[in-house]
Amino acid sequence: MFTFVFQPKSMRFFLSLSRSSVLVVLLLLTGSWGFLVHRTINQLSIYELPGAMGPFFYKNMDYLVYQSPRPDLRRNTDMAEAPRHFIDLELYGNDIPTAWPDAAKRYGMDSLQKAGIVPYHILWMKQRLTAAFSGLDKDSILFYAADLGHYIADAMVPLHTTENYDGQLTNQKGLHSLWESMVPELEIVNYQLSSSHRAVYLKNPEKVIWKSVRAAAALVPDLLQKEREVSASFTTEQKYRVQMRNGKESRSYTTAFAKAYAARLGNTVNQQLLVATDLLADFWYTCWVDAGKPDLTAITGTFTEADQAQYQREIGLFSGNQLLPANLLQARSPKYQGGNGY
Ligand SMILES: [Zn+2]
């Protein structure tokens, strides 16, 4: 069992050695959302931007989509990266300071790194993106816009908000990739990949991101319970696929189980994908407004009438949930298949 003890005086967590070592290994093994959903979210958010921003983002769609999984890969080389993708809310207790300086003061850096910092990191990325807009620095804008999309998407995955991130504390190990990768891979053709939302200015991004993270966390009990319900009609052999990996036995959910689980979940995964999409558009827009609404035409480059027509066409297809049938969902494009994009 992993144990955290909260010591009132120093307000520091104590982490058992077993958890810290297991955490590192599991974080390397458990991805986030999967490339398909990260790429989809970064693409769809572009269609929700206002006309003063849309052409620049649309023109750079390839980069924004292609690079969306980059922060996950960074975890392999940067030890500071992993905590930016999750937050174990239970470990913070009630009354979590929503601003980083207050949190750093209360918990200390070591504890924060161990318990995860995704909401704080999103707000940090927001500052960086705003600064990039202020300087009209094209490369930095794209870099931080793509990364911000990744972290916002991760924060909307319920299992990124809990200590029981892989169902490992409730004998449901493997649930993480089942929920965020297997289910959307199987079901995306049935998803609603459209939204009537258009980017709005966030007066208080800190409040919005914390509220959204809390809402994602509120979905955890239900997704655990539904796995138990579906399990009742599966034998162990029907539920799990056992494979040998590097000489070790590894167990994952079967496709049949994933389909049954997807049906039981209803539209929860789809809903969180869209929540992340809308939120990302709002964050991109808010950064741009906070930077003083810089004119992006100089860094957009040539935007021909044909570009404009295609951009408008795609916004229409997005609104009508027709991107996939029109073969315009970039994450499903053949150019992205068969590699991780790096
Ligand atoms: Zn991630």
Side-chain angles (χ1 to χ4, degrees):
M1 283 293 289
F2 304 139
T3 48
F4 264 74
V5 179
F6 202 68
Q7 194 183 52
K9 275 196 176 168
S10 66
M11 303 299 262
R12 280 175 186 275
F13 298 116
F14 287 85
L15 180 72
S16 72
L17 268 180
S18 60
R19 187 176 200 269
S20 63
S21 50
V22 171
L23 182 73
V24 171
V25 174
L26 283 174
L27 278 169
L28 294 174
L29 295 175
T30 24
S32 53
W33 267 127
F35 289 0
L36 173 70
V37 180
H38 274 301
R39 286 178 172 150
T40 299
I41 289 168
N42 274 18
Q43 179 182 356
L44 301 187
S45 295
I46 294 171
Y47 304 123
E48 297 186 357
L49 294 172
M53 293 179 77
F56 172 74
F57 278 73
Y58 179 74
K59 195 90 188 283
N60 292 288
M61 180 188 285
D62 253 5
Y63 176 93
L64 293 164
V65 170
Y66 201 56
Q67 300 293 346
S68 59
R70 178 178 52 203
D72 278 342
L73 301 180
R74 204 183 287 141
R75 295 190 303 193
N76 298 328
T77 53
D78 183 353
M79 289 302 287
E81 184 60 37
R84 298 170 184 161
H85 300 248
F86 68 94
I87 183 161
D88 291 348
L89 286 173
E90 303 93 332
L91 304 182
Y92 283 85
N94 296 322
D95 187 30
I96 308 174
T98 54
W100 176 255
D102 299 336
K105 205 166 137 192
R106 183 187 293 187
Y107 302 114
M109 288 301 291
D110 285 356
S111 303
L112 286 164
Q113 296 295 318
K114 285 162 189 162
I117 57 169
V118 66
Y120 303 111
H121 193 65
I122 286 168
L123 295 165
W124 173 239
M125 287 289 101
K126 187 207 163 274
Q127 281 185 33
R128 304 296 293 265
L129 179 57
T130 303
F133 274 126
S134 294
L136 216 55
D137 179 343
K138 180 182 173 182
D139 290 348
S140 292
I141 293 170
L142 291 174
F143 183 89
Y144 291 117
D147 275 20
L148 184 58
H150 182 97
Y151 297 117
I152 287 177
D154 274 3
M156 295 305 104
V157 175
L159 290 168
H160 278 242
T161 67
T162 174
E163 191 182 9
N164 190 19
Y165 56 88
D166 197 26
Q168 81 282 8
L169 302 179
T170 45
N171 196 27
Q172 295 169 295
K173 197 171 169 331
L175 196 57
H176 196 107
S177 67
L178 173 70
W179 194 96
E180 69 174 20
S181 294
M182 279 188 87
V183 167
E185 290 277 353
L186 287 167
E187 294 295 318
I188 197 159
V189 288
N190 302 316
Y191 281 176
Q192 180 202 328
L193 299 177
S194 65
S195 167
S196 57
H197 180 82
R198 292 298 177 264
V200 294
Y201 181 74
L202 303 174
K203 285 195 192 101
N204 190 340
E206 189 177 298
K207 195 172 166 188
V208 169
I209 194 63
W210 278 97
K211 192 177 167 201
S212 305
V213 165
R214 294 271 185 208
L219 299 170
V220 171
D222 186 64
L223 68 88
L224 296 174
Q225 176 58 24
K226 290 204 158 112
E227 194 271 354
R228 285 184 209 106
E229 289 169 14
V230 176
S231 297
S233 48
F234 278 75
T235 64
T236 305
E237 291 72 28
Q238 290 167 334
K239 182 176 171 183
Y240 295 112
R241 194 163 58 108
V242 180
Q243 287 175 302
M244 292 302 284
R245 254 194 216 161
N246 303 325
K248 281 188 178 173
E249 204 176 85
S250 97
R251 205 172 70 157
S252 56
Y253 288 99
T254 59
T255 303
F257 187 87
K259 281 184 178 164
Y261 183 56
R264 187 68 65 107
L265 278 175
N267 72 346
T268 316
V269 177
N270 190 170
Q271 169 203 302
Q272 287 307 99
L273 183 159
L274 292 176
V275 166
T277 298
D278 295 348
L279 200 53
L280 176 58
D282 293 347
F283 265 82
W284 281 345
Y285 177 62
T286 302
C287 292
W288 177 73
V289 172
D290 286 348
K293 298 187 180 178
D295 182 355
L296 302 179
T297 50
I299 54 167
T300 302
T302 315
F303 201 69
T304 63
E305 274 184 28
D307 290 336
Q308 181 66 27
Q310 183 62 16
Y311 165 56
Q312 291 301 334
R313 176 173 172 254
E314 289 187 34
I315 291 174
L317 290 168
F318 166 63
S319 300
N321 194 24
Q322 294 299 308
L323 284 171
L324 241 178
N327 287 322
L328 284 167
L329 190 71
Q330 297 296 316
R332 276 291 171 96
S333 162
K335 68 183 169 185
Y336 291 140
Q337 306 305 315
N340 63 13
Y342 294 85

